[in-house]
Coordinates of all heavy atoms in Angstrom, one line a residue:
M10 N 23.9 -5.1 28.0 CA 23.4 -4.0 28.7 C 22.5 -3.1 27.8 O 22.9 -2.8 26.7 CB 24.5 -3.1 29.2 CG 24.1 -2.0 30.1 SD 25.6 -1.3 30.9 CE 24.9 0.0 31.8
R11 N 21.3 -2.8 28.2 CA 20.3 -2.1 27.4 C 20.4 -0.6 27.7 O 20.6 -0.2 28.8 CB 18.9 -2.5 27.7 CG 18.7 -4.0 27.1 CD 17.2 -4.3 27.1 NE 17.0 -5.0 25.9 CZ 15.9 -5.0 25.3 NH1 14.8 -4.4 25.8 NH2 15.7 -5.6 24.1
S12 N 20.2 0.2 26.6 CA 20.3 1.6 26.7 C 18.9 2.1 27.2 O 17.9 1.7 26.6 CB 20.6 2.2 25.4 OG 20.3 3.6 25.3
Q13 N 18.9 3.0 28.1 CA 17.6 3.5 28.6 C 17.0 4.4 27.5 O 15.7 4.3 27.3 CB 17.8 4.4 29.9 CG 16.5 5.0 30.4 CD 15.6 3.9 30.9 OE1 16.0 2.9 31.4 NE2 14.3 4.2 30.7
L14 N 17.7 5.1 26.7 CA 17.2 5.9 25.6 C 16.5 5.0 24.6 O 15.5 5.3 24.1 CB 18.4 6.7 25.0 CG 18.0 7.6 23.9 CD1 17.0 8.7 24.3 CD2 19.2 8.3 23.3
A15 N 17.2 3.9 24.2 CA 16.7 3.0 23.2 C 15.4 2.3 23.8 O 14.5 2.1 23.0 CB 17.7 1.9 22.9
E16 N 15.4 2.0 25.0 CA 14.2 1.3 25.6 C 13.0 2.3 25.6 O 11.9 1.9 25.3 CB 14.5 0.9 27.0 CG 13.5 0.0 27.6 CD 13.2 -1.3 26.9 OE1 14.2 -1.8 26.3 OE2 12.0 -1.7 26.8
T17 N 13.3 3.5 25.9 CA 12.2 4.6 25.9 C 11.7 4.7 24.5 O 10.5 4.8 24.3 CB 12.7 5.9 26.5 OG1 13.2 5.7 27.8 CG2 11.7 7.0 26.4
A18 N 12.6 4.7 23.5 CA 12.2 4.9 22.1 C 11.3 3.7 21.7 O 10.3 3.9 21.0 CB 13.4 5.0 21.2
R19 N 11.7 2.5 22.1 CA 10.9 1.3 21.8 C 9.5 1.4 22.4 O 8.5 1.0 21.7 CB 11.6 0.0 22.3 CG 12.7 -0.4 21.4 CD 13.3 -1.8 21.9 NE 14.6 -2.0 21.5 CZ 15.7 -1.7 22.2 NH1 15.6 -1.3 23.5 NH2 16.9 -1.9 21.7
Q20 N 9.4 1.8 23.6 CA 8.1 1.9 24.3 C 7.3 2.9 23.6 O 6.1 2.7 23.4 CB 8.3 2.2 25.8 CG 8.9 1.0 26.5 CD 9.2 1.5 28.0 OE1 9.1 2.6 28.4 NE2 9.6 0.5 28.8
T21 N 7.8 4.1 23.3 CA 7.1 5.1 22.6 C 6.6 4.6 21.2 O 5.4 4.9 20.9 CB 8.0 6.4 22.4 OG1 8.4 6.8 23.7 CG2 7.2 7.5 21.8
L22 N 7.4 4.0 20.5 CA 7.0 3.4 19.2 C 5.9 2.4 19.4 O 4.9 2.5 18.6 CB 8.2 2.8 18.5 CG 7.9 2.1 17.1 CD1 7.4 3.2 16.1 CD2 9.1 1.5 16.6
A23 N 6.0 1.5 20.3 CA 4.9 0.5 20.5 C 3.6 1.2 20.9 O 2.5 0.8 20.4 CB 5.3 -0.4 21.6
E24 N 3.6 2.3 21.7 CA 2.4 3.0 22.1 C 1.8 3.7 20.9 O 0.6 3.6 20.7 CB 2.7 4.0 23.2 CG 3.1 3.4 24.5 CD 3.6 4.4 25.5 OE1 3.6 5.6 25.2 OE2 4.1 4.0 26.6
E25 N 2.6 4.2 20.0 CA 2.1 4.9 18.8 C 1.5 3.9 17.9 O 0.5 4.2 17.3 CB 3.2 5.7 18.2 CG 3.7 7.0 19.0 CD 4.8 7.7 18.3 OE1 5.1 7.4 17.1 OE2 5.4 8.5 19.0
I26 N 2.1 2.8 17.7 CA 1.6 1.8 16.8 C 0.2 1.3 17.3 O -0.7 1.1 16.6 CB 2.6 0.6 16.7 CG1 3.8 1.1 15.9 CG2 1.9 -0.6 16.0 CD1 4.9 0.1 15.8
R27 N 0.1 1.1 18.6 CA -1.2 0.7 19.2 C -2.3 1.7 19.0 O -3.5 1.3 18.8 CB -1.1 0.4 20.7 CG -0.5 -1.0 21.0 CD -0.6 -1.3 22.5 NE 0.2 -0.4 23.3 CZ 1.4 -0.7 23.7 NH1 2.0 -1.8 23.3 NH2 2.0 0.2 24.5
R28 N -2.0 3.0 18.9 CA -3.0 4.0 18.7 C -3.4 4.2 17.2 O -4.4 4.8 16.9 CB -2.5 5.3 19.2 CG -2.5 5.4 20.7 CD -2.3 6.9 21.2 NE -1.0 7.4 20.8 CZ 0.1 7.5 21.6 NH1 0.0 7.1 22.8 NH2 1.2 8.0 21.1
M29 N -2.6 3.6 16.3 CA -2.9 3.8 14.9 C -4.1 2.9 14.5 O -4.3 1.8 15.0 CB -1.7 3.3 14.0 CG -0.5 4.2 14.1 SD 0.9 3.5 13.3 CE 0.5 3.9 11.6
T30 N -4.9 3.5 13.6 CA -6.0 2.7 13.0 C -5.5 1.7 12.0 O -4.3 1.9 11.5 CB -7.0 3.7 12.3 OG1 -6.3 4.3 11.2 CG2 -7.5 4.7 13.3
P31 N -6.2 0.7 11.6 CA -5.8 -0.2 10.6 C -5.5 0.5 9.3 O -4.5 0.2 8.6 CB -7.0 -1.2 10.4 CG -7.6 -1.1 11.8 CD -7.5 0.3 12.3
E32 N -6.2 1.5 9.0 CA -6.0 2.3 7.7 C -4.6 3.0 7.8 O -3.9 3.1 6.9 CB -7.1 3.3 7.5 CG -8.5 2.6 7.1 CD -9.2 2.2 8.3 OE1 -8.8 2.5 9.5 OE2 -10.3 1.6 8.1
A33 N -4.4 3.6 9.0 CA -3.1 4.3 9.2 C -1.9 3.3 9.1 O -0.9 3.7 8.6 CB -3.1 5.1 10.5
R34 N -2.1 2.2 9.7 CA -1.0 1.2 9.6 C -0.8 0.8 8.2 O 0.4 0.6 7.7 CB -1.4 -0.1 10.4 CG -1.2 0.1 11.9 CD -1.4 -1.2 12.6 NE -1.9 -0.8 13.9 CZ -2.7 -1.5 14.7 NH1 -3.2 -2.6 14.2 NH2 -3.0 -1.1 15.8
L35 N -1.8 0.6 7.4 CA -1.7 0.2 6.0 C -1.0 1.3 5.2 O -0.1 1.0 4.4 CB -3.1 -0.1 5.4 CG -3.1 -0.6 3.9 CD1 -2.3 -1.9 3.9 CD2 -4.5 -0.8 3.5
A36 N -1.3 2.5 5.5 CA -0.7 3.6 4.8 C 0.8 3.7 5.1 O 1.6 4.0 4.3 CB -1.4 5.0 5.2
A37 N 1.1 3.5 6.4 CA 2.5 3.5 6.8 C 3.3 2.4 6.2 O 4.4 2.6 5.7 CB 2.6 3.4 8.3
F38 N 2.7 1.2 6.1 CA 3.3 0.1 5.5 C 3.5 0.4 4.0 O 4.6 0.1 3.4 CB 2.5 -1.2 5.6 CG 3.1 -2.4 5.0 CD1 4.3 -2.9 5.5 CD2 2.5 -3.0 3.9 CE1 4.9 -4.1 5.0 CE2 3.1 -4.1 3.4 CZ 4.3 -4.7 3.9
L39 N 2.6 1.0 3.3 CA 2.7 1.3 1.9 C 3.8 2.3 1.7 O 4.7 2.1 0.8 CB 1.4 1.9 1.3 CG 1.4 2.4 -0.1 CD1 1.8 1.2 -1.1 CD2 0.1 3.0 -0.5
A40 N 3.9 3.3 2.5 CA 5.0 4.3 2.5 C 6.3 3.6 2.6 O 7.3 3.9 2.0 CB 4.8 5.4 3.5
H41 N 6.4 2.7 3.6 CA 7.7 2.0 3.9 C 8.1 1.2 2.6 O 9.2 1.2 2.2 CB 7.5 1.1 5.1 CG 8.6 0.1 5.2 ND1 9.8 0.4 5.8 CD2 8.6 -1.3 4.9 CE1 10.5 -0.7 5.8 NE2 9.8 -1.7 5.3
C42 N 7.1 0.5 2.0 CA 7.4 -0.3 0.9 C 7.9 0.5 -0.3 O 8.8 0.1 -1.0 CB 6.2 -1.2 0.5 SG 5.8 -2.5 1.7
E43 N 7.3 1.7 -0.5 CA 7.7 2.6 -1.6 C 9.1 3.1 -1.4 O 9.9 3.1 -2.3 CB 6.7 3.7 -1.7 CG 5.3 3.3 -2.3 CD 4.3 4.4 -2.3 OE1 4.5 5.4 -1.5 OE2 3.3 4.3 -3.0
L44 N 9.4 3.4 -0.1 CA 10.8 3.9 0.2 C 11.8 2.8 0.0 O 12.9 3.1 -0.5 CB 10.8 4.5 1.6 CG 10.1 5.8 1.8 CD1 10.0 6.1 3.3 CD2 10.7 6.9 1.1
M45 N 11.4 1.6 0.4 CA 12.4 0.5 0.2 C 12.6 0.2 -1.3 O 13.7 -0.1 -1.7 CB 11.9 -0.8 0.9 CG 11.9 -0.6 2.4 SD 13.5 -0.2 3.2 CE 14.4 -1.6 2.8
A46 N 11.5 0.3 -2.1 CA 11.7 0.1 -3.5 C 12.6 1.2 -4.1 O 13.4 0.9 -5.0 CB 10.3 0.1 -4.2
Q47 N 12.4 2.4 -3.7 CA 13.3 3.5 -4.2 C 14.7 3.3 -3.8 O 15.7 3.5 -4.6 CB 12.8 4.8 -3.6 CG 11.5 5.3 -4.2 CD 11.0 6.6 -3.6 OE1 11.7 7.2 -2.8 NE2 9.8 7.0 -3.9
L48 N 14.9 2.8 -2.6 CA 16.3 2.5 -2.1 C 16.9 1.4 -2.9 O 18.1 1.5 -3.3 CB 16.3 2.2 -0.6 CG 17.6 1.9 0.1 CD1 18.5 3.2 0.0 CD2 17.4 1.5 1.5
R49 N 16.2 0.4 -3.2 CA 16.7 -0.7 -4.0 C 17.0 -0.3 -5.4 O 18.1 -0.6 -6.0 CB 15.7 -1.9 -4.0 CG 16.2 -3.1 -4.8 CD 15.3 -4.2 -4.7 NE 16.0 -5.3 -5.4 CZ 15.4 -6.3 -5.9 NH1 14.1 -6.4 -5.8 NH2 16.0 -7.3 -6.5
A50 N 16.1 0.5 -6.0 CA 16.3 1.0 -7.4 C 17.6 1.9 -7.4 O 18.4 1.7 -8.3 CB 15.1 1.8 -7.8
A51 N 17.8 2.7 -6.4 CA 19.0 3.5 -6.4 C 20.3 2.6 -6.3 O 21.3 2.9 -7.0 CB 19.0 4.4 -5.2
G52 N 20.2 1.5 -5.6 CA 21.4 0.6 -5.5 C 21.6 -0.1 -6.8 O 22.7 -0.3 -7.2
E53 N 20.5 -0.4 -7.5 CA 20.7 -1.1 -8.8 C 21.3 -0.1 -9.8 O 22.1 -0.5 -10.6 CB 19.3 -1.7 -9.3 CG 18.9 -2.9 -8.4 CD 17.5 -3.4 -8.8 OE1 16.8 -2.7 -9.6 OE2 17.1 -4.3 -8.2
I54 N 20.8 1.1 -9.8 CA 21.4 2.1 -10.7 C 22.8 2.3 -10.5 O 23.6 2.4 -11.4 CB 20.6 3.4 -10.6 CG1 19.2 3.3 -11.1 CG2 21.4 4.6 -11.3 CD1 18.3 4.5 -10.8
R55 N 23.2 2.3 -9.2 CA 24.6 2.5 -8.8 C 25.5 1.3 -9.3 O 26.7 1.5 -9.6 CB 24.7 2.6 -7.3 CG 26.1 2.8 -6.8 CD 26.7 4.2 -7.2 NE 28.0 4.3 -6.7 CZ 29.1 4.3 -7.5 NH1 29.0 4.1 -8.8 NH2 30.3 4.4 -7.0
R56 N 24.9 0.1 -9.4 CA 25.8 -1.0 -9.8 C 25.8 -1.3 -11.3 O 26.3 -2.3 -11.7 CB 25.2 -2.3 -9.2 CG 25.5 -2.4 -7.7 CD 25.1 -3.6 -7.1 NE 23.8 -3.4 -6.4 CZ 22.8 -4.1 -6.4 NH1 22.8 -5.2 -7.1 NH2 21.7 -3.8 -5.8
T57 N 25.4 -0.3 -12.1 CA 25.4 -0.6 -13.6 C 26.9 -0.6 -14.0 O 27.7 0.1 -13.5 CB 24.7 0.5 -14.3 OG1 25.2 1.8 -14.0 CG2 23.2 0.5 -14.0
P58 N 27.2 -1.3 -15.1 CA 28.6 -1.4 -15.6 C 29.1 -0.1 -16.0 O 30.3 0.1 -15.9 CB 28.5 -2.4 -16.8 CG 27.2 -3.2 -16.5 CD 26.3 -2.2 -15.8
S59 N 28.3 0.8 -16.5 CA 28.8 2.1 -16.9 C 29.4 2.9 -15.8 O 30.2 3.9 -16.0 CB 27.7 2.9 -17.6 OG 26.7 3.2 -16.7
D60 N 29.1 2.6 -14.6 CA 29.6 3.3 -13.4 C 31.0 2.8 -13.0 O 31.7 3.5 -12.3 CB 28.7 3.2 -12.2 CG 27.4 4.0 -12.3 OD1 27.4 4.9 -13.2 OD2 26.4 3.7 -11.6
S61 N 31.4 1.7 -13.5 CA 32.7 1.2 -13.1 C 33.8 1.9 -13.8 O 33.7 2.4 -14.9 CB 32.8 -0.4 -13.4 OG 32.7 -0.6 -14.8
V62 N 34.9 2.0 -13.1 CA 36.1 2.7 -13.6 C 37.0 1.7 -14.3 O 37.3 0.7 -13.7 CB 36.8 3.4 -12.4 CG1 38.1 4.0 -13.0 CG2 36.0 4.4 -11.8
P63 N 37.3 1.9 -15.5 CA 38.2 0.9 -16.2 C 39.5 0.9 -15.6 O 40.1 1.9 -15.3 CB 38.2 1.4 -17.7 CG 37.6 2.8 -17.7 CD 36.9 2.9 -16.4
T64 N 40.1 -0.3 -15.5 CA 41.5 -0.4 -15.1 C 42.4 -0.7 -16.2 O 42.0 -1.3 -17.2 CB 41.5 -1.5 -14.0 OG1 41.1 -2.7 -14.6 CG2 40.7 -1.2 -12.8
R65 N 43.6 -0.3 -16.0 CA 44.6 -0.6 -17.1 C 45.6 -1.7 -16.6 O 46.2 -1.5 -15.6 CB 45.4 0.7 -17.4 CG 44.5 1.8 -17.9 CD 45.3 3.1 -18.0 NE 45.9 3.2 -19.3 CZ 46.6 4.2 -19.8 NH1 46.7 5.2 -19.0 NH2 47.1 4.2 -21.0
A66 N 45.7 -2.7 -17.4 CA 46.7 -3.7 -17.1 C 48.0 -3.3 -17.7 O 48.1 -2.9 -18.9 CB 46.2 -5.1 -17.7
G67 N 49.0 -3.4 -17.0 CA 50.3 -3.0 -17.6 C 51.4 -3.0 -16.7 O 52.4 -2.9 -16.4

């Protein structure tokens, strides 16, 4: 079952994309890629060994 709200959002997004110029699409793609790189870097920083909590065997 599809949500009417989600369907309206999809249609609105599709219309906005069709109105974008190629330059605007490229700028949006670049912004997306930069944000994804920042998100990945944040995840890598979080996974460093210094962040782990030492456990005590005993």
